[in-house]
């Protein structure tokens, strides 16, 4: 009788070792995205000037803690899959859109940058979720929960942007 080791072992089965390696790479990218987001969000909670920026900055400050938690979760999952969490020398920055604006009162620049970062995360996590289908439901479950957080962040900042758009300032 043939034993279905694939369904019995899933992500840890011998025949899935190649695919597990690919998943680890996707998780490493997610890990770096979270780390870079933390860097960008910290700078963008400190730099902005102006009364109206306060609300946005306060909200971004709360997100930093969540993004840091996400980075931890991705790192822990990499280890559980027998991968190694990369060292800082492997890091490459990508968030060109979240660099400090020319004028530090330009909070719309920050809002748009946050939306772009969240969009990028949502897109990459969607890829992981689909990659995990019938393969690693534990990672899939984790990433679905994280993706929901990013959707929440995006929605919040879209609300901020809407306010500026209504006033013709965005
Ligand atoms: Fe995140
Ligand atoms: Fe986020």
């Amino acid at each position: 009788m043939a034993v279905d080791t694939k369904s019995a072992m899933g992500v840890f089965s011998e025949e899935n070792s190649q695919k597990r390696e690919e998943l680890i790479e996707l998780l490493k990218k997610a890990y770096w995205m979270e780390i870079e987001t933390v860097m960008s969000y910290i700078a963008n909670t400190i730099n902005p000037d102006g009364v109206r920026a306060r609300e946005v900055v306060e909200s971004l400050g709360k997100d930093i803690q969540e993004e840091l938690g996400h980075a931890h979760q991705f790192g822990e999952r990499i280890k559980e899959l027998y991968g190694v969490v990369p060292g800082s020398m492997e890091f490459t920055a990508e968030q060109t859109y979240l660099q400090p604006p020319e004028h530090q009162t330009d909070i719309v620049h920050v809002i748009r940058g946050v939306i772009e970062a969240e969009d990028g995360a949502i897109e990459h996590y969607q890829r992981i979720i689909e990659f995990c289908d019938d393969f690693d439901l534990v990672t899939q479950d984790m990433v679905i929960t994280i993706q929901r957080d990013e959707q929440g962040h995006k929605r919040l900042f879209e609300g901020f942007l809407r306010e500026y758009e209504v006033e013709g300032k965005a």
Side-chain angles (χ1 to χ4, degrees):
M1 198 180 81
V3 179
D4 188 358
T5 50
K6 183 171 174 282
S7 62
M9 294 298 290
V11 67
F12 295 111
S13 71
E14 186 60 40
E15 66 257 44
N16 274 337
S17 62
Q18 174 81 36
K19 200 173 174 193
R20 186 173 69 244
E21 291 301 321
E22 282 175 53
L23 177 58
I24 288 169
E25 289 310 308
L26 289 170
L27 293 173
K28 281 184 189 174
K29 182 176 165 63
Y31 172 79
W32 285 133
M33 287 171 88
E34 296 290 350
I35 299 277
E36 187 173 14
T37 296
V38 168
M39 281 195 263
S40 296
Y41 286 9
I42 287 175
N44 284 297
T45 55
I46 297 168
N47 287 333
D49 283 321
V51 178
R52 299 201 57 184
R54 291 300 95 203
E55 197 102 4
V56 175
V57 158
E58 205 177 292
S59 172
L60 203 54
K62 286 182 193 140
D63 288 353
I64 292 171
Q65 298 310 317
E66 287 196 28
E67 312 298 13
L68 198 53
H70 295 161
H72 267 278
Q73 288 184 68
F74 282 119
E76 273 155 24
R77 192 60 187 155
I78 288 167
K79 178 162 180 165
E80 285 161 7
L81 295 175
Y82 298 98
V84 176
V85 181
S88 58
M89 292 303 285
E90 280 184 48
F91 176 71
T92 315
E94 288 177 0
Q95 292 179 350
T96 50
Y97 45 86
L98 265 174
Q99 303 310 298
E102 194 183 339
H103 301 290
Q104 300 316 313
T105 50
D106 185 4
I107 198 68
V108 171
H109 169 91
V110 175
I111 296 169
R112 286 194 198 282
V114 169
I115 292 170
E116 192 162 344
E118 299 295 344
D119 264 339
I122 290 165
E123 201 184 304
H124 182 60
Y125 301 168
Q126 184 64 33
R127 225 180 119 202
I128 300 178
I129 290 164
E130 285 167 17
F131 188 86
C132 287
D133 254 350
D134 297 324
F135 171 57
D136 181 0
L137 300 183
V138 174
T139 299
Q140 188 177 57
D141 182 64
M142 182 190 89
V143 180
I144 286 171
T145 304
I146 294 173
Q147 194 192 39
R148 189 187 178 185
D149 288 344
E150 314 302 11
Q151 288 170 349
H153 298 161
K154 182 189 172 186
R155 180 64 188 88
L156 188 66
F157 278 76
E158 279 179 342
F160 289 139
L161 187 62
R162 196 159 297 168
E163 197 177 294
Y164 284 92
E165 278 170 346
V166 165
E167 295 170 12
K169 287 174 183 155

